[in-house]
């Protein structure tokens, strides 16, 4: 049992990350090699905390913590339910994996900026976990901006073109955040409160107010931009391509997914299903834009020759699945969307770790250059194959199951074009992944004298393999997660029958 | 008479036997003898476990193994009924023989990447047995897609441009089929709430509108029909002949294609059922599609000079026999169809084994080159002759028995046109096989004469399978009681009985 | 809802909207990256102004407790938006700082902060675009 009250667990995460970031930079100033152990230690403690938090919630219901003792709704509070706790566990677990990887990767790619990089990484995680944990709309904005600023800094550390991509993202991202801020400004004017639960309670009494649709639209646009929902995704491909491999490995799986989760929170817990589907056809717009996004970006992924850029477009397509599920707003679709948040995080992290390893270790970046690597880096590419097969959605990997639930959701909604989109997208994904796999395993290796053969070192290899295995395990065990964690956390209106 | 459910781990062990062998094979890659021992051992264990369940099934029990849920309400379930046992016996027993044959073949032909070859083989057989024992549609789909993924490296094996094209064609057909099947299963779950196989079907007119049910049937047929080689979805089969002959022999004459027709049997008999199929006229439509395939395949086969491609088209035709029997859904046609699933396997595998032996020994691939080969390889060509006679339906070989069942089935269903079609096909079979035998024995070839058989590793298995065909032709119920199992299934599904 | 009442009663909000649009114009249309940063600042400023305008009450004073106004809430403007906007201003400053740092980096690497020139130089470097 914990020596302190369980309701302190959420705030402990924030505090750990905040002080961890400061300590990392301080330690790094003393001696560069001191920074990394501090980061790893911080994240391990955070992971433990997150798991303890999840277990506490599964046992005893949602946790609430009021900051500074000021009672809600005036004061700011953290509200964590099973779903939020699970997302935090995912964030923590993926970050630990990436941190292990980062040790070698950052030293190889950007050794001079190692300390700043690691500090910014913790700041990013501070922002992202805060977004998930908080129960206050403005507090969400603050954490949103914290994670964004850290993100801009991280994305700027990379190759020569990285600052340009980061700048573009900065302009777009800040615009998005500002839209969100304006949106909650409207909500404040309408309800007088910024506490999520309070606003949720008050909104139904304001059904006919013309300011409400505007508020919803602004908020969705704001969060949607960070989620890289089509067509607000333009910043993502460049940003991911030029950033360093570690940055992409941590941002791609986590940042857009946390934003997607926040979108889900806002739409279903603050605005409510009823409001969202009746007042503005938010759900339909979201679903159709996502569907279009899936098709268009999958097509663009097929056209790419640089592997990281291909994976970046693929990420946008995958977030489209989440958007589609949220937009359809029926129990099966939501289950698929949330499950996909978890699943895509594992798959994409594994893929970007491999892309990074290959770029660093074997000096190859394009699909053509990947030829024949299957023999040279067997373990790395075994994991890659598992993750790729999962992205295509073949059983028994986790990617298959999120597609299964999404398909059930689209069938329930009665929209046959959407059913076709979900089905066809698997095939589009198969085109660019199998093409790559074929090249990796059968083509003769192009000789690169300066690149050593064999798998990269353990620090980079172990997280890759762990994620590859996770892809299978999560697939087979998905039902446990769906029934034990997901269902209890969704509002009753969108739960599966029999939960 | 309902079979009694008997909880048992044996279905699971049968699948795991070769799954466990995969890492063992990969790990002993550098010691070919150890590695090949694992293959053979796994095959023997698998066949042993499968055969051990024969007495149970014959006595009216159904070994069942219910694993955990993979989707809320749907479990990974393994169930051994008569139909599943037939397919499992065919796959696993023939795999024992193929293992020996393959060892001889890859060493004789000097194939590279043998470890990948044997590992993929083991995985494919796990999937095939999983398909056989699947107790519900989702379990079926999981193993069905695993089979596609596991057999892809085998088609790609030679890594030549032709192999790559063949493998791409393979995927281009099987992946969309998988999507169609996935959508069909998702729709079934949505309208019926159950995916468990029930003899006689669990869908009926009250489940949904005729239009939806018919569309659903079409999706199912596309889903399983690609692997079953129904025209126009058959083109992958000749293209897949670029694979080494053991692959063509076991997988593309036995496991993969029989998985397809097995799927057709499951869908027509255990999902839709005779009554519904007749009410919606689905039986007639499918039967005619199968009939068209029979004729077209035979005609196309006549024009092929490459021996394996000719065998491929012959396979397409014979698979259509099974689909025809399944579609007519009466006792005799089902008995014939199930028997043909098993009997065609023994005959076709013999022919492929012969083709492979000829290739390894003489590097000849085309029919036009085979003059006089009967004198040099008498055992091989004798076996070839037996297989050909059986496929043409000559009494004394098992092909005659299954064909008789099918012919009687067409009479029972009042489809005399189809009867004529089947008889015509027998003639066409003779037309494209007998000349080969004639040329081999009675024409003088070029070059040397004198005994020059392939290695015993290859010749012994093909003699054994030829003997199987003869013995089963004279006593169809001998050994594995194929006759009893087929009749039991047919009566259960159709509700009829043999006089 | 007639126009005169809208303009006379709510002109501060209309002004906010105008500022917002100017900011957006700057970000989207202007080629010079520095001008985009200006646009961003104006945009964020407009939103901050929106909150502050909303907090206003006729005849009220700054939200700092003093003896003259006592504890009567109607005598003070709404403090919450002011508090929120203090945070938002800090965020805006931090963002501008990062943006300027990025601009310095870009200028040092490519020698220009004009978007058109920059795209040309990027394309020259990256043959597979």
């Amino acid at each position: 049992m914990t020596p302190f009250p369980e309701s302190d667990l959420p705030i402990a995460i924030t505090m750990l990350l905040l002080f961890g970031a400061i300590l990392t930079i301080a330690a790094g100033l003393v001696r560069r090699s001191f920074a990394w152990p501090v980061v790893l230690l911080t994240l391990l403690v955070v992971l433990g905390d997150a798991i303890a938090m999840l277990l506490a919630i599964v046992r005893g219901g949602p946790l609430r913590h009021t900051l500074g003792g000021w009672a809600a709704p005036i004061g700011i509070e953290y509200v964590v339910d099973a779903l939020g706790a699970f997302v935090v566990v995912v964030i923590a677990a993926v970050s630990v994996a990436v941190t292990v990887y980062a040790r070698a990767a950052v030293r190889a790619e950007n050794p001079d900026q190692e300390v700043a990089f690691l500090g910014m990484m913790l700041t990013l995680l501070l922002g992202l976990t805060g977004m998930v944990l908080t129960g206050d709309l403005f507090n969400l904005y603050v954490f949103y901006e914290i994670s964004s600023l850290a993100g801009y800094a991280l994305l700027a550390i990379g190759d020569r073109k990285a600052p340009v991509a980061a700048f573009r993202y900065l302009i777009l991202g800040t615009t998005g955040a500002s839209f969100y801020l304006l949106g909650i400004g409207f909500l404040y004017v309408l309800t007088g409160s910024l506490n999520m639960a309070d606003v949720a309670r008050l909104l139904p009494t304001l059904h006919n107010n013309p300011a409400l649709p505007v508020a919803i639209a602004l908020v969705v646009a704001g969060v949607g931009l960070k989620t890289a929902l089509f067509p607000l995704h333009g910043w993502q491909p460049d940003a991911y391509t030029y950033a360093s491999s570690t940055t992409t490995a941590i941002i791609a799986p986590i940042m857009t997914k946390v934003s997607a989760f926040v979108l889900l929170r806002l739409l279903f817990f603050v605005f409510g299903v009823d409001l969202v589907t009746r007042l503005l056809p938010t759900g339909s717009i979201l679903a159709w834009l996502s569907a279009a996004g899936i098709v268009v970006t999958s097509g663009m992924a097929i056209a790419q020759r640089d592997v990281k850029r291909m994976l970046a477009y693929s990420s946008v397509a995958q977030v489209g699945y989440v958007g589609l599920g949220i937009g359809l707003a029926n129990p099966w679709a939501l289950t698929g969307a949330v499950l996909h948040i978890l699943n895509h995080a594992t798959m994409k992290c594994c893929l970007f770790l491999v892309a990074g390893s290959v770029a660093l270790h074997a000096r190859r970046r394009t699909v053509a250059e990947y030829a024949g690597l299957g023999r040279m880096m067997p373990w790395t590419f075994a994991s890659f194959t598992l993750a790729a097969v999962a992205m295509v959605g073949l059983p028994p990997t986790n990617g298959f199951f999120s597609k299964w639930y999404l398909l059930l959701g689209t069938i329930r909604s009665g929209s046959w074009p959407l059913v076709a989109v979900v089905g066809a997208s698997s095939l589009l994904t198969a085109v660019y992944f199998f093409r790559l796999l074929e090249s990796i395993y059968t083509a003769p290796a192009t000789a690169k004298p300066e690149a050593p053969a064999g798998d990269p070192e353990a620090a980079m290899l172990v997280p890759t393999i762990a994620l590859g295995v996770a892809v299978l395990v999560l697939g087979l065990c998905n039902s446990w997660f769906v029934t034990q964690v997901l269902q209890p956390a969704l509002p009753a209106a969108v739960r599966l029958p029999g939960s | 008479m309902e079979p009694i459910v008997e909880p048992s781990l044996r279905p699971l062990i049968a699948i795991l036997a070769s799954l466990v062998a995969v890492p063992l094979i990969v790990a002993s890659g550098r010691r070919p003898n150890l590695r090949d021992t694992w293959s053979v051992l796994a095959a023997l264990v698998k066949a042993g476990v499968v055969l051990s369940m024969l007495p149970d099934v014959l006595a009216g029990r159904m070994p069942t193994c219910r694993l955990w849920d993979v989707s809320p309400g749907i479990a990974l379930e393994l169930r051994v009924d008569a139909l599943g046992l037939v397919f499992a016996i065919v796959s696993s027993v023939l795999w024992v023989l193929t293992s020996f044959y393959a060892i001889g073949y890859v060493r004789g032909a000097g194939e590279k990447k043998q470890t990948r070859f044997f590992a993929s083989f083991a995985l494919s057989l796990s999937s095939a047995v999983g398909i056989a024992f699947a107790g519900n549609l989702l379990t079926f789909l999981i193993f069905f897609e695993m089979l596609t993924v596991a057999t892809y490296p085998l088609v790609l094996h030679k890594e030549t441009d032709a192999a790559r094209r063949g493998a791409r064609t393979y995927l281009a057909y099987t992946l969309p089929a998988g999507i169609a099947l996935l959508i069909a299963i998702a729709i079934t779950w949505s309208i019926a709430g159950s995916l468990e196989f029930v003899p006689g079907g669990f869908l009926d007119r009250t489940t949904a509108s005729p239009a939806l049910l018919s569309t659903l049937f079409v999706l199912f047929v596309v889903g399983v029909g690609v692997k079953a080689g129904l025209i126009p979805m058959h083109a992958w089969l000749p293209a897949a002949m670029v694979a080494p002959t053991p692959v063509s022999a076991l997988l593309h004459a036995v496991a993969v294609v029989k998985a397809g027709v097995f799927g057709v049997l499951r869908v027509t008999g255990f999902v839709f059922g005779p009554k519904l199929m007749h009410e919606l006229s689905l039986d007639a439509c499918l039967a005619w599609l199968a009939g068209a395939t029979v004729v077209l395949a035979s005609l196309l086969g006549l024009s092929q000079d490459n021996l394996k491609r000719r065998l491929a088209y012959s396979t397409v035709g014979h698979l259509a026999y099974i689909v025809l029997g399944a579609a007519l859904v009466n006792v005799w046609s089902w008995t014939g169809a199930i028997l043909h699933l098993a009997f065609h396997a023994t005959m076709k595998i013999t022919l492929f084994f012969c083709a492979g032996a000829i290739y390894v020994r003489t590097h000849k691939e085309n029919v036009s080159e085979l003059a006089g080969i009967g004198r040099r390889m008498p055992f091989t060509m004798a076996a070839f002759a037996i297989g050909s006679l059986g496929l043409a339906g000559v009494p004394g070989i098992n092909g005659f028995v299954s064909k008789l069942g099918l012919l009687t089935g067409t009479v029972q269903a009042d489809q005399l046109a189809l009867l004529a079609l089947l008889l015509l096909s027998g003639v066409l079979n003779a037309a494209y096989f007998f000349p080969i035998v004639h040329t081999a024995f009675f024409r003088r070839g070029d070059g040397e004469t004198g005994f020059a058989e392939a290695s015993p590793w290859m010749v012994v298995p093909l003699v054994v399978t030829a003997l199987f065909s003869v013995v089963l032709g004279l006593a169809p119920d001998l050994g594995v009681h194929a006759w009893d199992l087929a009749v039991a299934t047919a009566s259960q599904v159709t509700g009829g009985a043999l006089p | 809802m007639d126009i005169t009442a809208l303009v006379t009663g709510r002109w501060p909000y209309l002004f906010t909207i105008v500022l917002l649009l100017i900011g957006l114009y700057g970000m989207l249309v202007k080629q010079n990256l520095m001008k985009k940063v200006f646009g961003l600042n104006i945009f964020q400023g407009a939103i901050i102004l929106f909150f502050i305008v909303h907090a206003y009450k006729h005849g009220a004073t700054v939200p700092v407790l003093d003896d003259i106004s006592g504890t009567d809430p109607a005598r003070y403007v709404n403090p919450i938006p002011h508090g929120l906007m203090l945070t938002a201003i800090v965020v805006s400053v931090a963002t501008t700082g990062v943006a300027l740092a990025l601009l310095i980096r870009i200028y040092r690497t490519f020698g220009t902060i004009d978007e058109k020139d920059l795209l040309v130089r990027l394309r020259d470097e990256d043959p597979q675009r």
Side-chain angles (χ1 to χ4, degrees):
Chain A
M1 281 286 96
T2 52
F4 43 81
E6 283 177 348
S7 61
D8 277 352
L9 286 171
I11 192 67
I13 292 179
T14 305
M15 293 285 107
L16 280 167
L17 287 169
L18 184 57
F19 287 112
I22 297 171
L23 228 83
T24 304
I25 298 186
L29 285 174
V30 169
R31 205 192 179 138
R32 196 192 289 173
S33 57
F34 285 169
W36 185 82
V38 175
V39 174
L40 186 63
L41 191 61
T42 310
L43 285 175
L44 284 172
V45 177
V46 167
L47 180 60
D49 188 316
I51 294 176
M53 193 170 69
L54 178 61
L55 291 174
I57 293 171
V58 166
R59 251 184 299 116
L63 286 177
R64 298 189 122 82
H65 178 95
T66 48
L67 266 60
W70 296 100
I74 302 288
I76 294 177
E77 63 169 355
Y78 275 11
V79 179
V80 195
D81 64 358
L83 197 53
F86 197 87
V87 174
V88 176
V89 170
V90 170
I91 295 173
V94 171
S95 342
V96 169
V98 175
T99 306
V100 174
Y101 176 92
R103 182 165 198 230
V106 175
R107 280 185 196 163
E109 276 182 312
N110 309 102
D112 298 327
Q113 294 141 314
E114 182 183 338
V115 175
F117 188 95
L118 292 173
M120 282 295 104
M121 208 170 85
L122 283 181
T123 315
L124 174 73
L125 293 169
L126 169 67
L128 291 175
T129 50
M131 279 170 79
V132 175
L133 294 171
T134 187
D136 181 283
L137 291 169
F138 188 78
N139 200 223
L140 183 68
Y141 170 74
V142 173
F143 280 120
Y144 182 132
E145 284 290 63
I146 291 177
S147 65
S148 295
L149 285 169
Y152 308 145
L154 282 172
L155 286 169
I157 300 177
D159 69 13
R160 280 167 57 88
K161 300 187 212 77
V164 182
F167 182 80
R168 186 163 175 221
Y169 177 37
L170 186 148
I171 298 289
L172 288 172
T174 313
T175 312
S178 305
F179 277 137
Y180 174 77
L181 184 59
L182 193 57
I184 63 175
F186 271 62
L187 285 176
Y188 180 70
V189 170
L190 288 170
T191 60
S193 171
L194 284 165
N195 182 291
M196 285 187 197
D198 209 32
V199 169
R201 193 175 49 84
L202 292 167
L203 275 182
T205 60
L206 295 160
H207 273 182
N208 293 318
N209 196 308
L212 198 48
V214 180
I216 297 179
L218 285 170
V219 166
V220 171
V223 182
L225 192 139
K226 197 173 168 89
T227 316
L229 280 178
F230 185 85
L232 302 165
H233 68 287
W235 59 270
Q236 207 187 69
D238 277 343
Y240 285 7
T241 311
Y242 301 133
S244 74
S245 51
T246 321
T247 308
T248 334
I250 197 147
I251 290 188
I254 301 183
M255 195 160 77
T256 46
K257 303 308 169 309
V258 168
S259 315
F261 171 78
V262 165
L263 189 61
L264 197 152
R265 251 293 176 258
L266 292 171
L267 285 176
F268 292 104
F269 289 84
V270 179
F271 295 126
V273 183
D274 187 52
L275 213 62
V276 156
T277 44
R278 241 189 350 99
L279 204 57
L280 261 187
T282 326
S284 312
I285 296 176
L286 201 54
W288 283 99
L289 275 179
S290 301
I294 292 173
V295 175
V296 169
T297 49
S298 296
M300 299 214 63
I302 294 177
Q304 299 307 316
R305 273 173 279 158
D306 179 288
V307 173
K308 270 176 84 177
R309 191 175 271 275
M310 181 184 99
L311 292 176
Y313 276 106
S314 171
S315 290
V316 182
Q318 297 290 313
V319 165
Y321 285 126
V322 179
L324 179 60
I326 294 178
L328 288 172
N330 64 53
W332 289 109
L334 263 186
T335 306
V338 177
L339 196 61
H340 205 59
I341 290 177
L342 166 64
N343 290 343
H344 185 234
T346 42
M347 299 188 281
K348 239 342 144 20
C349 190
C350 183
L351 291 173
F352 273 115
L353 287 182
V354 171
S357 300
V358 172
L360 285 175
H361 196 71
R363 310 260 186 275
R364 291 151 202 259
R365 291 179 188 279
T366 63
V367 174
E369 289 174 338
Y370 269 51
L373 282 181
R375 286 223 105 165
M376 283 173 55
M377 302 170 76
W379 286 98
T380 309
F381 280 101
S383 316
F384 185 87
T385 307
L386 271 176
V389 164
M391 292 283 293
V392 174
L394 292 167
T397 58
N398 57 9
F400 168 75
F401 289 102
S402 30
K403 285 219 172 93
W404 162 251
Y405 293 119
L406 268 171
L407 210 52
L408 289 176
T410 49
I411 292 173
R412 273 300 145 88
S413 75
S415 171
W416 297 109
L418 288 178
V419 173
V421 164
V422 177
S425 65
S426 279
L427 299 175
L428 289 172
T429 315
V431 171
Y432 56 84
F433 274 118
F434 274 102
R435 181 178 64 185
L436 189 55
L437 285 175
E438 188 192 272
S439 165
I440 287 168
Y441 283 109
T442 63
T446 48
K448 282 237 172 184
E450 75 278 10
D455 283 301
E457 55 199 89
M460 288 166 74
L461 190 58
V462 168
T464 314
I465 297 179
L467 286 166
V469 170
V471 155
L472 267 180
V473 170
L474 288 172
L476 290 169
C477 300
N478 81 90
S479 190
W480 177 87
F481 167 68
V482 168
T483 46
Q484 298 300 321
V485 178
L486 226 174
Q487 290 306 308
L490 287 174
V494 285
R495 277 197 205 147
L496 289 174
S499 307
Chain B
M1 190 205 49
E2 282 288 311
I4 311 166
V5 170
E6 173 201 353
S8 163
L9 276 180
R10 280 177 295 168
L12 184 60
I13 297 175
I15 297 177
L16 289 178
S18 51
L19 205 54
V20 161
V22 173
L24 291 170
I25 291 172
V26 172
S28 43
R30 294 194 199 283
R31 287 140 70 191
N33 291 326
L34 178 61
R35 178 197 66 206
D36 295 343
T37 312
W38 291 126
S39 275
V40 173
L41 210 58
L44 286 169
V45 169
K46 197 194 239 353
V49 174
V50 169
L51 287 169
S52 79
M53 293 190 277
L54 183 58
D56 296 75
V57 175
L58 286 171
R61 294 192 295 273
M62 196 161 66
T64 308
C65 183
R66 198 191 156 93
L67 298 168
W68 61 87
D69 276 10
V70 283
S71 174
I74 311 174
L76 208 55
E77 185 167 356
L78 302 171
R79 210 189 291 165
V80 183
D81 62 358
L83 179 60
L85 194 60
V86 168
F87 182 39
I89 292 177
V90 168
S91 309
S92 50
V93 170
L94 289 178
W95 186 31
V96 175
L97 293 168
T98 311
S99 302
F100 288 110
Y101 181 87
I103 292 170
Y105 182 94
V106 299
R107 293 188 188 195
E111 296 277 353
K112 44 183 172 64
K113 301 229 175 126
Q114 294 184 19
T115 308
R116 184 177 76 189
F117 183 86
F118 285 108
S120 305
F121 235 108
L123 189 60
S124 307
L125 263 299
S126 260
S127 315
V129 174
I131 292 172
F133 291 160
N136 59 45
L137 279 169
L138 192 58
T139 313
F140 180 89
L141 178 66
I142 291 174
F143 285 112
F144 202 72
E145 294 286 75
M146 269 175 68
L147 186 62
T148 305
V149 174
T151 49
Y152 171 72
L154 292 169
V155 178
L156 192 54
H157 183 85
K158 289 198 175 143
E159 296 182 7
T160 58
D161 282 337
R164 257 178 255 159
R165 264 179 284 128
R168 280 188 209 162
T169 310
Y170 187 54
L171 283 184
Y173 276 86
T174 49
L175 285 180
I179 299 293
L181 191 56
L182 174 60
I183 294 178
I185 294 177
I187 295 176
T188 310
W189 171 252
S190 299
I191 59 175
S194 165
L195 292 177
E196 309 252 319
F197 290 126
V198 173
F202 61 88
L203 293 176
D204 61 40
R205 292 202 91 163
T206 60
T207 323
S209 70
L212 181 57
L213 286 172
S214 305
T215 318
L216 186 62
F217 188 73
V218 170
L219 280 171
F220 268 119
V221 168
V222 169
V224 290
V226 163
K227 286 207 169 82
L230 281 173
I231 281 179
M233 306 173 283
H234 67 288
W236 65 271
L237 193 53
M241 290 297 120
V242 296
T245 307
V247 178
S248 310
L250 185 67
L251 297 177
H252 298 129
V254 176
V256 173
V257 296
K258 293 297 162 42
V261 292
F262 180 79
V264 173
L265 286 165
R266 281 284 191 222
V267 168
T268 51
F270 293 80
V271 177
F272 276 78
K275 190 157 164 289
L276 185 61
M277 286 196 47
H278 196 68
E279 283 169 3
L280 297 175
S281 304
L282 300 170
D283 52 354
C285 294
L286 187 58
W288 279 100
L289 180 61
T293 307
V294 168
V295 175
L296 281 169
S298 307
L299 291 173
L300 286 168
L302 278 172
S303 66
Q304 299 294 321
D305 192 30
N306 182 292
L307 179 58
K308 281 176 68 179
R309 287 180 76 102
R310 189 176 284 207
L311 293 177
Y313 280 104
S314 162
T315 304
V316 173
H318 279 269
L319 291 172
Y321 281 20
I322 303 176
V323 175
L324 182 63
L328 292 175
V329 219
N330 59 53
V331 163
W332 275 109
S333 75
W334 261 64
T335 307
I338 298 173
L339 285 176
H340 205 60
L341 191 152
F343 292 171
H344 168 259
T346 60
M347 296 184 285
K348 206 27 108 23
I349 205 174
T350 310
L351 295 183
F352 271 106
F353 279 169
C354 296
I358 294 173
Y359 175 73
V360 167
R361 204 62 183 76
T362 66
H363 289 283
K364 294 192 179 161
E365 296 186 313
N366 295 325
V367 171
S368 50
E369 299 168 329
L370 293 179
I373 208 144
R375 289 165 197 271
R376 298 180 60 198
M377 306 174 79
F379 286 110
T380 305
M381 287 317 294
F384 193 93
I386 292 174
S388 314
L389 288 170
L391 285 175
V394 169
I397 308 183
N398 56 10
F400 173 72
V401 179
S402 48
K403 201 149 187 192
L404 193 59
L406 287 167
L407 292 169
T408 318
T410 56
V411 170
Q412 196 181 2
D414 264 332
Q415 297 275 13
L416 296 177
L418 291 173
L419 172 72
L421 230 137
L422 282 176
L423 291 170
L424 172 65
S425 153
V427 172
L428 288 171
N429 261 281
Y432 55 70
F433 281 139
F434 289 1
I436 303 179
V437 179
H438 183 264
T439 320
F441 281 111
F442 299 114
R443 289 278 160 79
R444 196 150 293 272
D446 52 337
E448 330 110 50
T449 49
F451 188 81
E453 274 287 6
S455 97
W457 288 95
M458 291 197 276
V459 174
V460 169
L462 62 88
V463 167
V464 170
T465 54
L467 280 173
F468 275 170
S469 308
V470 173
V471 165
L472 287 169
L474 299 172
D477 206 38
L478 194 65
V480 297
H481 295 276
W483 178 267
D484 284 340
L485 291 172
V487 171
T489 311
S491 341
Q492 265 190 338
V493 166
T494 61
L498 287 184
Chain C
M1 165 97 63
D2 66 322
I3 300 292
T4 32
L6 182 67
V7 172
T8 52
R10 318 242 167 152
W11 63 265
Y13 291 106
L14 293 175
F15 178 65
T16 312
I17 295 175
V18 169
L19 270 185
L20 204 84
L21 292 172
I22 293 175
L24 267 178
Y25 169 80
M27 281 195 284
L28 294 174
V29 175
K30 289 296 171 187
Q31 301 273 25
N32 190 305
L33 295 185
M34 184 66 89
K35 291 189 182 171
K36 287 187 195 278
V37 177
F38 293 161
L40 189 65
N41 262 293
I42 296 173
F43 186 77
Q44 288 181 300
I47 295 175
I48 291 171
L49 202 57
F50 172 85
F51 274 80
I52 302 296
V53 165
H54 170 68
Y56 180 72
K57 297 176 196 167
H58 285 301
T61 182
V62 292
V64 177
L65 271 180
D66 64 36
D67 297 324
I68 307 173
S69 312
T71 55
D72 180 9
R75 303 292 304 269
Y76 299 104
V77 297
N78 190 341
I80 290 189
H82 284 258
L84 302 180
M85 289 308 104
L86 281 173
T87 311
I89 291 170
V90 172
V91 170
S92 172
V93 169
T95 310
T96 309
V98 174
L100 292 175
L102 288 175
L103 281 186
I104 294 176
R105 202 32 158 18
I106 293 174
Y107 187 72
R108 285 202 186 133
T109 315
F110 293 101
T112 176
I113 55 171
D114 182 276
E115 196 180 28
K116 250 200 244 155
D117 286 346
L118 195 57
L119 283 174
V120 168
R121 284 172 214 209
L122 281 173
R123 210 174 301 123
D124 289 340
E125 285 205 11
D126 193 356
Q128 57 180 339
R129 268 288 201 119

